[in-house]
Amino acid sequence: MAGLGTRNLIRAALVILLLPGSLEECGRIKVSAPIVRLGDPITASCIINQSCSHLGPEAQILWKLGAELQPGGRQQRLADGTQESTITLPHLNHSQALLSCCLRWGNSLQILDQAELQAGYPPATPHNLSCAMNLTTSSLICQWEPGPDTHLPTNFTLKSFKSRRGCQTQEDPITNCVPENGQSRCSIPRKHLQLYQNMSIWVQVENALGTSVSPQLCLVPMDVVKLEPPTLWALDPKTEVVPLQPGCLRLRWEPWKPGLYIEQKCELRHQPQLGETSWALVGPLPSRTLQHELCGLLPSTAYALQMRCTRWPLPGLWSNWSPSLELTTAQRAPIVRLDTWWRQRQLDPRTVDVQLFWKPTPLEEDSGQIQGYLVSWRPSGQAEAVPPLCNTTELNCTFHLPSEAQEVVLKAYNTAGTSRPTPVVFLESRGPPLGRLHTMARDPHSLWVGWEPPNPQPRGYVIEWGLGPPSPSGSHQTWRMEHNGSIAGTLLQENIRPFQLYAITVTPLYQDTKGPSQLIYAYSQETAPSRAPELHLKHIGKTWAKLEWVPEAPELGKSPLTHYTIFWTNAQDQSFSTVLNASSHDFVLHGLEPASLYHVHLMAASRAGATNSTSLTLMTLALEESELHTLLGLFGLLLLFICLCGAVRLCCRPSRKNALWPSVPDPAHSSLGSWVPTIMAEETFQLPSLCDASMPPITKITVLEEEEKKPGPWESSDSSGTCGLPTLVQAYVLQGDPKAASTPPEPQSGTSNQVLYGQVLGSPTSPGPGHYLRCDSTQPLLGGLTPSPKCYENLWFQTSPLGTSEPLVPNQEDDCVFGPLLDFPLLQGLRINGVEGLGGF
């Protein structure tokens, strides 16, 4: 209650600090219940009284549970002018929380009032109530298990009363016992007890949500007396008269002094310290003897021992177990079977070096601990003892024997004695050998060794294995003896590692002899070849190099090579490679560049992996000066030949010939008949007659005289649209078939340097004769034309004022003579263009 009052004071102080002066007594919170079951709903209301009416009718009331705003508040104004907000929390999942009623004041929330909420569970029923009478404190100590946590303040009270007739009636009550905080035990002092009278005892638990009571316990205080455990000790070996037998222990104990005059019985339990064996119980033991011998245990084994006691024959409770006492049982002579194997080496005719191996196999579960081994030999006919050949703790021994010695004796010993002697007879190899010996890898850490049993059947086998070459012979050898002679194989799992070559030897053992040993090499997991052959340069040229190598000898136990791969790289880091058969031992590199550096290496591959050789660097030979000149000459000739071929091809093409050397014939100094080409029917141009009003366009050719350079205007002589011809034109007429060759006229004297210019009118298909004009002109034949052609150069007809085309008839005074149009030989090779512009003819 004091705690609750302190929290209320702190809460009030927080409200005073947080609220302005005008809000100190503004509102108050009411809750349906301050303490509820965890997870149950709870309802709260907050009322703002009239003193806060100046806040306005629209003041909003908010709720916070801890630091989180809670939605769902319902706000209303009551008839007396106060404002009320109600909220229901559906599940209160906090064992302790603070509910706040807040008012929005500007940009912040002001707390009007707060209420502390608590949630938990009703108390569970206490169980396992037990009481014991402690003779040291003369008090009755009771303890119980309180059950799960309620999350609420809970009070425990140990209640009791004196009773008779088996606790059926209550007499004098006993003062309640309240345990300390957090404890589930309580002591009733001696002054409230009657040692030999019944008592009824129970535990009552209560908190804010309810009360529960444990079942009643009815007892007599002296019937539940609990003694303290005794103290265990080991017997002093000096006081022992009879030697301790193997597998036995002797111990003593001292009882609890206040219970010396109380009749007791005790129990002893023991457990080996090593392993997970459970405790073994021995008893009851009479407490008056104060010592005990425990047998039937494992020899030479450490044990932990504990003891407890109770009042007997009167009722009482068992004491706690005493602290552990650790003792070791006595040893026994080893009971083992010693499997032996040996190797012999003749040092000289009289002495043999013997290496003896053995392995102990326990014959019983408690066969005794072995502390060492003795190897002895007694010469025949000698009665006195001789020093042992070996006294060792190892599992092998090396010694020398005379050549006539055929047997030694091996024993295991400890402090309790020695094992039965094991004779070791050095057998000669006269038995039949094994059949086919083979191996197979099961996994990287095991090997299966199989064989075909010989006939007669052996009594057993000795299997030896160890690292093969290049490891030294006999180093790290492991061996095992198989006593079943009918088996045809065994699995080796000891000291097997991957990527290691193992030499495995199997020797059959017969009754009085042994067979020859069979050897095989094997891998539990193969690896790549240990090394690749080294490359050697045999010959080299300017563009080739011949390499050779010596194949490595096959390695024992490794899979054979499958192929070689040669890699070479030039100075530009361009890599090339080729694959060769495993039987190859040389290779020629072709296509190399002269005077170039190359790096070459060889890769040897098997099914288990690949290994690279060391890199070989080589440089090809450079070209000689004469060879360089020859190559340059050949290259120049080839280039000249290509140029000539190109020129010939260019010149022989017709389309290129005229472009390079245009042929301009001279009509005045050549036979025009020879220029007449063969004209197909479809190539004949259809030209109209000059006199026809509907004649199509015509083609004109004008030949100018180069000598006379008399510039004169080309004026129109007729206002009707006709074009006048120059006065210096001289006409000539060619008669005959237009497709036949025509004979050109002979030029006038004094005109050998003239270039003739002619004008042609008419059509080769018209019924009338064609007309030609030949005029003398001083304009050069190949001279450049004026930008705008004159009327006499391309137009023979002009449009009349009435819009009809009128032919231009040349005047007789101009010395123009007309004839058949296509009698002019050159016209047969012309292509007429611009016909569309002369549609009015």
Side-chain angles (χ1 to χ4, degrees):
M1 297 300 294
L4 293 176
T6 303
R7 284 195 293 268
N8 291 333
L9 290 176
I10 295 175
R11 181 187 49 169
L14 289 173
V15 173
I16 294 174
L17 290 174
L18 293 174
L19 298 181
S22 59
L23 299 179
E24 289 181 4
E25 300 296 336
C26 231
R28 64 185 183 276
I29 290 180
K30 291 183 180 180
V31 294
S32 58
I35 301 175
V36 296
R37 289 179 64 96
L38 197 63
D40 284 359
I42 188 171
T43 302
S45 62
C46 181
I47 299 177
I48 302 178
N49 53 34
Q50 296 180 357
S51 61
C52 297
S53 60
H54 63 279
L55 295 176
E58 301 300 330
Q60 184 180 6
I61 300 175
L62 302 176
W63 294 90
K64 291 179 67 177
L65 184 63
E68 297 180 0
L69 285 173
Q70 300 294 320
R74 300 179 301 278
Q75 185 173 342
Q76 61 180 348
R77 179 177 289 275
L78 302 180
D80 57 356
T82 60
Q83 295 188 35
E84 181 184 29
S85 177
T86 304
I87 188 172
T88 299
L89 302 177
H91 304 285
L92 184 58
N93 296 322
H94 303 276
S95 60
Q96 189 171 3
L98 200 62
L99 183 64
S100 302
C101 173
C102 305
L103 187 66
R104 189 175 296 281
W105 185 273
N107 295 329
S108 61
L109 293 178
Q110 298 296 334
I111 298 177
L112 300 180
D113 195 10
Q114 290 181 319
E116 184 178 8
L117 305 180
Q118 288 182 305
Y121 300 104
T125 301
H127 55 284
N128 290 342
L129 174 63
S130 61
C131 299
M133 185 66 186
N134 191 324
L135 298 181
T136 303
T137 60
S138 298
S139 60
L140 185 64
I141 301 175
C142 297
Q143 58 185 8
W144 61 90
E145 294 183 14
D149 187 13
T150 62
H151 303 289
L152 295 174
T154 304
N155 299 322
F156 291 85
T157 304
L158 182 64
K159 293 181 172 294
S160 60
F161 60 86
K162 299 175 184 179
S163 175
R164 295 183 183 275
R165 298 178 183 177
C167 300
Q168 296 298 323
T169 58
Q170 295 185 7
E171 293 186 353
D172 300 331
I174 301 176
T175 305
N176 293 336
C177 181
V178 178
E180 297 181 4
N181 291 333
Q183 292 189 358
S184 58
R185 57 185 298 171
C186 195
S187 298
I188 301 176
R190 172 69 178 81
K191 62 182 179 180
H192 299 304
L193 298 176
Q194 289 186 0
L195 298 180
Y196 297 97
Q197 184 178 356
N198 287 335
M199 292 182 59
S200 180
I201 304 174
W202 72 95
V203 179
Q204 178 176 309
V205 189
E206 58 182 351
N207 62 13
L209 297 179
T211 302
S212 64
V213 177
S214 69
Q216 292 188 3
L217 180 63
C218 184
L219 56 84
V220 175
M222 286 304 295
D223 290 344
V224 292
V225 171
K226 185 176 182 179
L227 304 176
E228 294 295 327
T231 304
L232 297 181
W233 300 92
L235 283 176
D236 189 357
K238 297 179 181 180
T239 61
E240 296 182 5
V241 178
V242 180
L244 193 61
Q245 296 296 319
C248 293
L249 289 175
R250 289 176 182 169
L251 71 155
R252 65 182 183 89
W253 63 89
E254 293 182 0
W256 179 50
K257 291 184 179 180
L260 288 175
Y261 303 101
I262 300 177
E263 293 291 334
Q264 305 177 25
K265 67 177 180 181
C266 301
E267 288 181 346
L268 180 68
R269 68 178 183 179
H270 56 84
Q271 181 187 40
Q273 287 186 330
L274 299 179
E276 299 180 355
T277 308
S278 59
W279 290 93
L281 190 63
V282 179
L285 304 177
S287 61
R288 296 294 183 182
T289 57
L290 301 181
Q291 64 179 4
H292 182 68
E293 182 176 353
L294 183 62
C295 292
L297 306 179
L298 296 177
S300 188
T301 304
Y303 281 86
L305 298 98
Q306 293 179 342
M307 181 176 283
R308 66 177 182 177
C309 299
T310 183
R311 193 172 67 151
W312 183 84
L314 297 177
L317 300 179
W318 285 102
S319 68
N320 297 328
W321 289 103
S322 66
S324 296
L325 173 65
E326 296 179 2
L327 295 177
T328 302
T329 56
Q331 291 185 349
R332 65 186 303 180
I335 304 176
V336 293
R337 183 190 69 215
L338 296 175
D339 296 331
T340 60
W341 183 241
W342 70 92
R343 294 194 187 98
Q344 287 182 326
R345 184 168 56 95
Q346 192 77 35
L347 296 180
D348 53 59
R350 294 186 176 182
T351 308
V352 178
D353 180 77
V354 180
Q355 189 176 11
L356 182 64
F357 307 93
W358 58 86
K359 282 186 176 181
T361 303
L363 298 179
E364 298 180 6
E365 184 179 358
D366 53 347
S367 60
Q369 184 179 3
I370 298 176
Q371 295 179 343
Y373 300 92
L374 290 174
V375 180
S376 59
W377 170 69
R378 177 177 296 180
S380 59
Q382 186 174 352
E384 65 272 9
V386 295
L389 298 175
C390 291
N391 184 356
T392 179
T393 58
E394 303 293 333
L395 296 178
N396 60 84
C397 177
T398 302
F399 50 87
H400 294 166
L401 280 178
S403 299
E404 65 272 11
Q406 297 296 324
E407 180 181 344
V408 293
V409 176
L410 175 65
K411 297 179 181 179
Y413 68 88
N414 58 19
T415 56
T418 62
S419 65
R420 296 178 56 184
T422 301
V424 181
V425 180
F426 304 118
L427 303 175
E428 295 182 3
S429 181
R430 297 193 305 267
L434 292 174
R436 186 177 64 91
L437 185 64
H438 58 276
T439 62
M440 182 178 62
R442 291 289 183 88
D443 55 64
H445 297 279
S446 65
L447 278 171
W448 171 264
V449 182
W451 57 82
E452 294 180 2
N455 191 12
Q457 180 177 305
R459 62 177 178 88
Y461 302 92
V462 173
I463 301 98
E464 298 177 271
W465 67 95
L467 294 177
S471 299
S473 178
S475 62
H476 304 288
Q477 288 287 327
T478 307
W479 68 281
R480 187 172 73 198
M481 181 175 288
E482 294 290 347
H483 295 274
N484 186 2
S486 62
I487 63 174
T490 184
L491 184 64
L492 308 180
Q493 295 178 299
E494 185 181 359
N495 296 332
I496 299 293
R497 293 176 296 172
F499 312 127
Q500 296 288 341
L501 176 64
Y502 287 94
I504 305 172
T505 304
V506 181
T507 306
L509 301 177
Y510 300 93
Q511 188 62 36
D512 296 322
T513 184
K514 65 176 183 176
S517 301
Q518 301 288 332
L519 175 65
I520 193 172
Y521 294 93
Y523 277 91
S524 63
Q525 183 174 348
E526 292 183 346
T527 183
S530 57
R531 58 186 177 274
E534 185 177 357
L535 285 174
H536 299 282
L537 180 62
K538 188 173 183 181
H539 300 292
I540 191 168
K542 301 176 182 63
T543 60
W544 60 274
K546 184 174 183 180
L547 306 175
E548 65 177 3
W549 59 91
V550 178
E552 296 289 338
E555 298 182 68
L556 294 174
K558 292 191 177 181
S559 58
L561 297 180
T562 57
H563 63 274
Y564 292 108
T565 305
I566 290 184
F567 300 88
W568 65 94
T569 307
N570 58 16
Q572 290 77 28
D573 288 337
Q574 293 178 333
S575 298
F576 310 91
S577 64
T578 185
V579 179
L580 305 175
N581 293 329
S583 60
S584 304
H585 56 82
D586 58 10
F587 183 72
V588 179
L589 303 179
H590 293 285
L592 305 181
E593 297 180 1
S596 299
L597 191 68
Y598 289 88
H599 300 280
V600 189
H601 73 271
L602 181 69
M603 183 180 72
S606 68
R607 291 175 300 179
T611 303
N612 291 330
S613 68
T614 56
S615 179
L616 174 65
T617 302
L618 56 88
M619 176 173 283
T620 54
L621 300 179
L623 294 175
E624 297 180 359
E625 187 176 357
S626 59
E627 295 177 343
L628 186 60
H629 292 167
T630 303
L631 290 177
L632 291 177
L634 292 175
F635 179 74
L637 292 176
L638 179 63
L639 184 62
L640 180 60
F641 178 75
I642 293 174
C643 293
L644 290 176
C645 292
V648 171
R649 181 178 178 83
L650 185 65
C651 294
C652 292
R653 293 180 62 182
S655 62
R656 297 293 183 182
K657 182 177 180 181
N658 293 334
L660 294 177
W661 300 286
S663 178
V664 181
D666 187 358
H669 300 86
S670 63
S671 176
L672 295 177
S674 62
W675 288 81
V676 179
T678 303
I679 300 176
M680 305 302 293
E682 62 271 15
E683 294 177 350
T684 304
F685 299 102
Q686 301 296 328
L687 298 178
S689 175
L690 182 64
C691 300
D692 191 359
S694 61
M695 63 179 293
I698 62 175
T699 303
K700 65 178 181 179
I701 297 177
T702 303
V703 180
L704 301 179
E705 294 182 0
E706 188 177 14
E707 284 185 345
E708 295 188 25
K709 301 180 181 291
K710 294 181 180 182
W714 297 82
E715 298 177 355
S716 176
S717 60
D718 193 355
S719 61
S720 64
T722 63
C723 179
L725 297 176
T727 58
L728 299 179
V729 174
Q730 297 180 4
Y732 64 91
V733 179
L734 297 179
Q735 300 295 334
D737 189 359
K739 295 184 180 181
S742 299
T743 303
E746 296 182 358
Q748 299 178 4
S749 60
T751 63
S752 59
N753 295 330
Q754 293 179 352
V755 177
L756 301 181
Y757 197 91
Q759 185 170 0
V760 182
L761 298 176
S763 172
T765 58
S766 62
H771 304 277
Y772 306 91
L773 285 179
R774 180 181 182 276
C775 302
D776 295 333
S777 176
T778 59
Q779 183 177 356
L781 180 62
L782 299 178
L785 298 177
T786 58
S788 298
K790 292 182 173 57
C791 61
Y792 66 84
E793 291 178 324
N794 54 7
L795 295 177
W796 284 88
F797 297 88
Q798 293 190 9
T799 307
S800 64
L802 296 178
T804 61
S805 299
E806 295 181 0
L808 296 177
V809 179
N811 197 332
Q812 296 295 332
E813 299 177 356
D814 295 331
D815 297 331
C816 294
V817 182
F818 298 88
L821 179 63
L822 294 181
D823 286 347
F824 199 103
L826 291 178
L827 295 181
Q828 298 185 21
L830 294 178
R831 181 178 181 181
I832 300 175
N833 294 322
V835 179
E836 67 276 2
L838 301 177
F841 286 92

